[in-house]
Amino acid sequence: MNFCPIKAQRCAVGQGNYVYIVECPSDKYVLRLNEEKDAYKDTVYWLERLEDLEIPVPKVLAKGHMETFEYILLTY
């Protein structure tokens, strides 16, 4: 994955989340941030299960924590 952002725009959605659309030269991504510990544990679990069933859902590209935030990076 060549993650080289050229633009990021915050979405006005997400209760308790900061959600951004991140544009790179060749693709777009969704970045979600939350200050709650393990905020995306269930999200990652279900997205991966649904993907295994070949249901079209965003692909989890990265997940983890940085400073006070949990994050998840998804395909757009």
Side-chain angles (χ1 to χ4, degrees), residues 3-9 20-29:
F3 192 71
C4 183
I6 56 173
K7 180 180 175 185
Q9 181 177 355
Y20 296 87
I21 304 299
V22 181
E23 293 184 38
C24 293
S26 62
D27 221 338
K28 287 185 183 180
Y29 304 94

Side-chain angles (χ1 to χ4, degrees), residues 3 6 8 12 17 25-26 37 39 44 46 49 52 59 63-66 73 75:
F3 192 71
I6 56 173
N17 292 284
S26 62
K37 183 173 172 36
V44 169
W46 284 109
R49 296 295 117 11
D52 290 344
K59 184 176 180 104
K63 59 189 176 201
H65 63 274
M66 178 187 268
L73 182 65
T75 56

Side-chain angles (χ1 to χ4, degrees), residues 2-73:
N2 184 11
F3 192 71
C4 183
I6 56 173
K7 180 180 175 185
Q9 181 177 355
R10 184 166 179 202
C11 299
V13 298
Q15 189 173 22
N17 292 284
Y18 299 98
V19 180
Y20 296 87
I21 304 299
V22 181
E23 293 184 38
C24 293
S26 62
D27 221 338
K28 287 185 183 180
Y29 304 94
V30 177
L31 176 63
R32 296 178 61 169
L33 304 161
N34 193 308
E35 292 184 293
E36 182 182 326
K37 183 173 172 36
D38 294 326
Y40 301 114
K41 182 179 177 182
D42 293 339
T43 301
V44 169
Y45 174 84
W46 284 109
L47 286 176
E48 289 174 348
R49 296 295 117 11
L50 293 170
E51 183 179 19
D52 290 344
L53 296 172
E54 298 182 11
I55 295 174
V57 294
K59 184 176 180 104
V60 177
L61 301 173
K63 59 189 176 201
H65 63 274
M66 178 187 268
E67 297 179 9
T68 62
F69 290 98
E70 297 285 323
Y71 69 85
I72 184 172
L73 182 65

